């Protein structure tokens, strides 16, 4: 669990970028195949039926992923997002860190620009940047 970090790297054109999981030495452990930002993801070590994984590493990521990946890839990131001149409409996905499998969670509804994701038990909590309110939904098992 310790010694891993998500790193967003802007492209040379300062448009879009990539999100990678790296070790303490900076080696890429896992490249995400979807465009999103670290503030839209959380490491999740809770498995089926809410049982905490006994493995030494996180099993998956839960991420809010912008619907419009083309617009995301053409935006000055992370600057425009952090300066609130760019907002997203997101869906939630899990990314299995052992094999890269991506699954849609379908739980948040529409018009969500999710950030600050936190998990408590079977609930995923997040702040919607569009209205600055706290939301939650139950994660599927």
């Amino acid at each position: 669990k310790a010694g891993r970090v998500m790193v967003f790297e802007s492209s040379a054109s300062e448009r879009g970028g990539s999100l990678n999981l790296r070790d303490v030495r900076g080696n890429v452990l896992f490249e995400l195949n979807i465009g999103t930002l670290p503030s839209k993801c959380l490491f999740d070590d809770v498995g089926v039926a809410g049982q905490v994984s006994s493995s030494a590493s996180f099993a998956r990521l839960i991420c809010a992923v912008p619907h419009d990946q083309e617009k995301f890839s053409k935006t000055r990131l992370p600057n425009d997002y952090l300066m609130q001149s760019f907002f997203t409409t997101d869906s939630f996905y899990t990314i299995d860190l052992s094999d890269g499998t991506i699954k849609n969670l379908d739980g948040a509804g529409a018009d969500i620009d999710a950030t600050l994701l936190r998990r408590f038990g079977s609930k995923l909590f997040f702040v919607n940047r569009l209205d600055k309110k706290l939301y939650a939904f139950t994660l599927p098992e």
Side-chain angles (χ1 to χ4, degrees):
K1 293 178 184 178
R4 292 182 178 194
V5 65
M6 281 187 291
V7 176
F8 182 82
E9 297 174 5
S10 295
S11 66
S13 68
E14 296 183 0
R15 304 284 181 208
S18 62
L19 186 61
N20 300 307
L21 180 64
R22 294 183 178 261
D23 66 15
V24 293
R25 293 185 178 94
N27 300 313
V28 175
L29 300 172
F30 189 85
E31 294 181 32
L32 268 69
N33 294 323
I34 52 176
T36 194
L37 296 165
S39 62
K40 294 179 157 296
C41 294
L42 69 88
F43 289 101
D44 187 36
D45 63 352
V46 178
V48 177
Q51 299 300 311
V52 175
S53 171
S54 60
S55 67
S57 63
F58 290 102
R60 65 183 184 171
L61 293 173
I62 298 175
C63 293
V65 177
H67 292 180
D68 192 342
Q69 288 287 292
E70 183 177 346
K71 185 176 179 181
F72 186 83
S73 70
K74 292 179 179 178
T75 302
R76 290 183 44 220
L77 295 170
N79 294 1
D80 287 350
Y81 188 79
L82 295 173
M83 298 299 293
Q84 297 191 357
S85 62
F86 171 68
F87 290 84
T88 63
T89 301
D90 303 326
S91 291
F92 289 89
Y93 292 83
T94 60
I95 299 105
D96 186 309
L97 294 177
S98 65
D99 63 10
T101 303
I102 299 172
K103 293 182 184 174
N104 188 325
L105 292 178
D106 286 335
D111 297 327
I112 298 293
D113 183 351
T115 190
L116 304 173
L117 283 65
R118 300 291 184 269
R119 179 180 179 152
F120 295 100
S122 64
K123 298 275 189 189
L124 179 67
F125 292 84
F126 59 91
V127 173
N128 182 358
R129 290 180 63 220
L130 299 174
D131 62 11
K132 298 181 178 33
K133 293 182 180 178
L134 180 66
Y135 288 81
F137 72 91
T138 302
L139 292 164
E141 292 187 21

